Amino acid sequence: MPATFVLLPGAGSDSWYWHRVAPILEGSGHSVIAVDLPYGDDAAGQYEFADVVVDAVEDVEGSIVLVAQSMSAFTAAIVCQRGEVDVDLLVLLAPMLPAPGEAPGQWWETTGQPEAKRAFAVLEGRDPDAPDDLRALFFHDVPDDVTEEAFSQEEPVVSNTPFETVWQADAWPHVKTRVVAGRRDRLFPLDFMQRIVRERLGIAPEVIDTGHLAALARPGELAAMLERYASEL
């Protein structure tokens, strides 16, 4: 049965991030709403982001699959917690998987991400002390033409406000949740993601053979995973 996929981008990105996945889902008869979140707005935190998502889906009928990339896991958790949208399935892609009472800005240290990122750099033979190179960190497995298109766009402005928003919750919302992690993710290494997902949700992530940006690197494979999840509703 066709579903509506509501796609949220990661920090500093926008709906363009999903431009390779959306046509595949639509071609299979699904509806797609790729949401732009106001990352550059100093007046907008995670709860304001959640308002944007709720407004975007207010007229949707049928099954809703909410898909959140990286930091938008915080936004998605708030959307599900508030209950204004009947989310049938939450899919977290390479997520900053939040814990109740945590802000995105705290997440890095509370999870041990810097140490995990450094250890993976050493494992791959990269200099762990080198300054972050966006192409090497995020686009190492993305096709060259897609990478060039990404870097040809206007440089994003990202406010500190969404990083400072504390998720006011006591527990994970009661919504069916799946997590997808990249086998070659240099920002959130696989063993790190497996540990965080196990500790915080008690489940294991499904692995896709990509870096952090699966929707750009392997859109067909990711779309097939999303369609399979929707078919199981």
Side-chain angles (χ1 to χ4, degrees):
M1 180 177 295
T4 296
F5 288 90
V6 182
L7 310 178
L8 309 185
S13 187
D14 56 24
S15 55
W16 178 86
Y17 174 69
W18 298 104
H19 79 283
R20 304 189 75 200
V21 172
I24 300 173
L25 296 175
E26 291 171 335
S28 295
H30 301 287
S31 298
V32 173
I33 300 174
V35 182
D36 285 314
L37 299 175
Y39 280 112
D41 185 352
D42 288 335
Q46 294 293 337
Y47 284 86
E48 288 72 27
F49 287 8
D51 290 338
V52 172
V53 178
V54 170
D55 289 345
V57 300
E58 62 181 354
D59 296 326
V60 171
E61 297 180 358
S63 299
I64 292 179
V65 180
L66 181 58
V67 186
Q69 164 76 23
S70 201
M71 192 173 85
S72 64
F74 275 85
T75 306
I78 293 169
V79 170
C80 293
Q81 175 196 9
R82 284 169 35 169
E84 298 168 88
V85 176
D86 187 12
V87 175
D88 296 276
L89 175 65
L90 173 60
V91 181
L92 303 175
L93 178 59
M96 290 178 66
L97 182 62
E102 189 174 60
Q106 301 168 329
W107 183 89
W108 311 90
E109 293 300 328
T110 58
T111 60
Q113 183 273 346
E115 294 80 8
K117 175 174 172 282
R118 179 183 179 85
F120 190 56
V122 172
L123 182 65
E124 286 198 322
R126 294 178 286 112
D127 181 359
D129 297 313
D132 280 339
D133 178 289
L134 295 183
R135 289 177 183 258
L137 184 61
F138 292 106
F139 290 86
H140 57 96
D141 66 331
V142 175
D144 290 343
D145 60 331
V146 179
T147 298
E148 293 310 314
E149 185 177 353
F151 279 87
S152 69
Q153 299 183 43
E154 184 176 350
E155 185 173 352
V157 176
V158 181
S159 169
N160 287 327
T161 303
F163 288 91
E164 296 167 351
T165 306
V166 175
W167 180 30
Q168 303 291 343
D170 296 320
W172 191 258
H174 294 290
V175 60
K176 185 175 182 180
T177 304
R178 290 185 177 271
V179 180
V180 178
R183 188 183 308 280
R184 294 181 284 143
D185 192 334
R186 293 177 174 177
L187 185 66
F188 302 157
L190 179 58
D191 58 351
F192 163 77
M193 286 301 314
Q194 289 170 325
R195 173 177 63 81
I196 296 302
V197 175
R198 181 178 65 251
E199 292 175 352
R200 297 192 168 189
L201 293 182
I203 62 176
E206 184 166 358
V207 179
I208 187 169
D209 190 25
T210 70
H212 193 65
L213 305 179
L216 297 180
R218 295 204 175 188
E221 185 175 341
L222 177 59
M225 294 172 73
L226 295 177
E227 290 189 72
R228 171 162 51 85
Y229 297 158
S231 72
E232 295 170 354
L233 292 176

